[in-house]
Amino acid sequence: MFGLEISSVPTILPTLETVLHANFQQLQWIMNAYTIAVTTVLMATGTLADRYGRKRVFVVSIAVFGLASLICGLAQDALVLIVSRFLQGMSGGAMLICQVAVLSHQFQEGPERARAFAAWGIIFGIGLGFGPIIGAAIVAASGWQWVFLIHAFIAVVTIALAVTGVRESRDPEAKHLDIGGIVTLSTSVFCVAFYITEGRSFGFTGTTGLAIIGTAVLSFMAFVLVELRSAHPMFDFSVFRIRAFSGALLGSAGMNFSFWSFMIYLPIFFRNALGYDNVAAGLALLTYTLPTLVIPPLGERILLRFGGGIAIPLGLFVIGFGFMLMWAGSGVERVTWLTLAPGCLLAGVGLALTNTPVTNVTTSAVSSTRAGMASGIDMSARMISLAINIALMGFILIAGISSRLSSAFPGALDASRLQYLADRIAGGTGHVADIPELSILPGADAAVRDALIHGFRLVMLYGGLSVWIMALASFVIARGSHARQRQSRSGNEPCCVPRSST
């Protein structure tokens, strides 16, 4: 359910532009409302699941996810969809945290645990890998609403499986819910995402912009103080002293500096820059997602053989290499999905090599009774970096389009008009024939397409370079843990991911 939700919705964004009359910022918020909502519940869910039972909270979250999906499918305008997506994100985040905590409790030994998380990665990959074509096929056959409504039916089956197959578990030392931490962290993340996404409209350096970013900084400072002073914090900073955990956490963030955030924009590239319809765009997107279906077992094998200090940076490096190939493939004279396919495939392989090892390491690096807290920190890192980078990639895309239009038509358009046109072009509604000031200019069609491709190439370059930086940081931080693992293997001790006791 969670994988299908991630990969099918981006495919229908171009359709939502038309049927809901959504602009580019609203398309960003349709995705970001979900990711920001996930961050608001991650740490709370870990605490509640540890205290009241992971199975119980898991079943409730599935039910709410199904209900929220029903509301999304019935939405009639972009604002209602954005609000309902927030509810869907809250329940989806709770659902994801609980399933990771459940797996961590039921499968605690090295090889068995590796097989369990490899299976989890494959099932996640089924939803993720086939999501684009499923979403496109649903739109073609019955309408965009069923991309959401289908989850209401899947939720019923999933609840039945959870009730019969999951053993109840809890943390006997779990304490009260950390309301202060939840509010301050959520406020900070929302303000940063809002500042990046909407900053062009109110001015990044204006009074409103400075007030928003100031609120974000103060909220984050308050969050740190609340957690440090709390006797039972939801965000236990002491776990960052575990090098394996910190290195894996950089892997969580690195995937969302690149692969997951670009997942939102790649369907728009296929539709608006290459002119593909929904089905063709969905098929093209399979090259990006299908590797996540078959590669996870290899990622777990690499983890068992070399440890997280090698496996996770390696996966991040492969993602970055894929992005650089996409950047190169989009710079040829005639760009098609075939010129991007090698990079898309490699990025998907890198994601599959990284995703399940990250989850495995972050939850196994601490005691099993704190699995809810550890998975909450892991998913918080993922969703916070995703929310910020969805906004940041959108900003880079618009800036790239605007700068290329300015170079193509020097002096023909003022800054505010360039900004407006860049938004429309990025959202797919900026057809040259509908823009009088462009339609009279020679070569406008070619210039608009060139500007769109240029903007996307900047986004690809950003994704590749940023994930390489995260790979290097993860390797440097986790290298001490890797050395300890090699010493353990040389002493004939079991080769497994180190826990905090090591």
Side-chain angles (χ1 to χ4, degrees):
M1 291 175 69
F2 201 85
L4 183 62
E5 170 64 21
I6 290 174
S7 63
S8 61
V9 174
T11 309
I12 69 169
L13 290 179
T15 300
L16 297 179
E17 296 174 33
T18 304
V19 298
L20 298 183
H21 306 290
N23 59 35
F24 185 68
Q25 280 73 29
Q26 288 174 323
L27 294 180
Q28 289 181 286
W29 281 113
I30 287 172
M31 296 305 302
N32 239 351
Y34 186 89
T35 56
I36 291 173
V38 170
T39 66
T40 66
V41 301
L42 286 177
M43 302 311 304
T45 301
T47 301
L48 291 172
D50 286 345
R51 185 177 184 186
Y52 296 107
R54 291 150 189 163
K55 176 179 178 178
R56 179 182 300 175
V57 178
F58 185 40
V59 171
V60 171
S61 66
I62 296 169
V64 177
F65 189 85
L67 177 62
S69 299
L70 181 64
I71 298 173
C72 287
L74 298 177
Q76 297 297 312
D77 60 64
L79 180 60
V80 173
L81 181 57
I82 290 170
V83 173
S84 56
R85 284 278 289 168
F86 190 87
L87 177 61
Q88 192 186 39
M90 292 179 69
S91 54
M95 184 174 66
L96 186 61
I97 284 296
C98 289
Q99 67 172 308
V100 173
V102 163
L103 282 176
S104 296
H105 174 77
Q106 294 194 195
F107 303 97
Q108 298 185 21
E109 299 301 322
E112 181 186 43
R113 182 184 183 88
R115 288 193 299 270
F117 273 95
W120 174 78
I122 290 173
I123 298 301
F124 185 86
I126 290 174
L128 176 65
F130 290 101
I133 191 59
I134 290 174
I138 288 174
V139 171
S142 59
W144 65 268
Q145 295 90 340
W146 282 96
V147 171
F148 299 105
L149 294 177
I150 191 174
H151 291 293
F153 296 97
I154 299 177
V156 175
V157 178
T158 310
I159 289 173
L161 292 172
V163 168
T164 57
V166 173
R167 297 196 301 267
E168 185 61 282
S169 62
R170 54 175 52 86
D171 178 7
E173 299 181 359
K175 301 299 180 181
H176 297 291
L177 195 62
D178 187 356
I179 300 295
I182 294 169
V183 172
T184 52
L185 180 61
S186 301
T187 300
S188 180
V189 175
F190 176 81
C191 287
V192 171
F194 188 83
Y195 177 81
I196 298 172
T197 303
E198 304 291 342
R200 294 183 301 272
S201 61
F202 52 70
F204 289 106
T205 58
T207 302
T208 301
L210 293 177
I212 291 172
I213 201 64
T215 302
V217 173
L218 292 175
S219 297
F220 184 75
M221 293 172 61
F223 167 73
V224 174
L225 290 175
V226 167
E227 298 307 290
L228 289 177
R229 294 183 177 183
S230 174
H232 303 283
M234 68 174 187
F235 206 102
D236 187 357
F237 288 103
S238 66
V239 297
F240 292 107
R241 292 196 293 266
I242 306 171
R243 298 178 71 116
F245 181 90
S246 297
L249 208 62
L250 287 172
S252 293
M255 292 185 292
N256 295 301
F257 270 76
S258 52
F259 187 94
W260 290 121
S261 49
F262 193 59
M263 180 86 174
I264 312 305
Y265 295 102
L266 195 53
I268 298 176
F269 179 80
F270 287 137
R271 274 287 303 266
N272 298 347
L274 303 186
Y276 297 167
D277 59 22
N278 278 337
V279 174
L283 288 170
L285 197 58
L286 289 178
T287 57
Y288 194 65
T289 59
L290 276 184
T292 63
L293 177 61
V294 296
I295 301 298
L298 176 60
E300 288 296 326
R301 290 194 187 100
I302 295 174
L303 176 65
L304 285 173
R305 176 66 179 85
F306 299 102
I310 296 295
I312 293 170
L314 174 64
L316 293 178
F317 177 81
V318 174
I319 294 174
F321 192 35
F323 267 77
M324 299 309 290
L325 286 181
M326 282 190 281
W327 174 76
S330 62
V332 300
E333 183 176 353
R334 181 173 175 79
V335 184
T336 68
W337 75 270
L338 286 174
T339 64
L340 268 67
C344 288
L345 283 169
L346 203 59
V349 169
L351 186 280
L353 291 175
T354 309
N355 192 39
T356 53
V358 162
T359 305
N360 195 335
V361 172
T362 53
T363 54
S364 64
V366 300
S367 64
S368 60
T369 58
R370 298 299 285 154
M373 181 275 298
S375 60
I377 294 177
D378 172 26
M379 295 303 167
S380 292
R382 296 183 189 224
M383 293 300 125
I384 290 172
S385 56
L386 179 59
I388 292 173
N389 278 282
I390 287 175
L392 193 54
M393 281 190 173
F395 174 81
I396 293 171
L397 176 60
I398 296 299
I401 295 172
S402 179
S403 66
R404 185 53 64 96
L405 287 178
S406 178
S407 299
F409 307 112
L413 302 166
D414 59 34
S416 61
R417 194 59 180 169
L418 276 173
Q419 179 67 50
Y420 170 74
L421 295 178
D423 284 341
R424 292 189 61 186
I425 291 169
T429 58
H431 302 295
V432 172
D434 300 328
I435 306 174
E437 57 264 59
L438 281 183
S439 60
I440 62 174
L441 297 174
D445 287 301
V448 166
R449 184 175 183 273
D450 176 67
L452 188 57
I453 292 176
H454 174 71
F456 271 102
R457 295 194 74 218
L458 291 179
V459 174
M460 295 170 191
L461 185 62
Y462 164 78
L465 294 178
S466 62
V467 75
W468 274 349
I469 292 172
M470 299 299 283
L472 178 61
S474 177
F475 175 77
V476 170
I477 289 177
R479 70 185 186 278
S481 172
H482 176 57
R484 286 193 296 272
Q485 286 183 354
R486 289 192 299 176
Q487 292 171 2
S488 296
R489 288 197 293 274
S490 65
N492 296 321
E493 296 180 14
C495 174
C496 60
V497 180
R499 294 189 180 277
S500 57
S501 58
T502 60

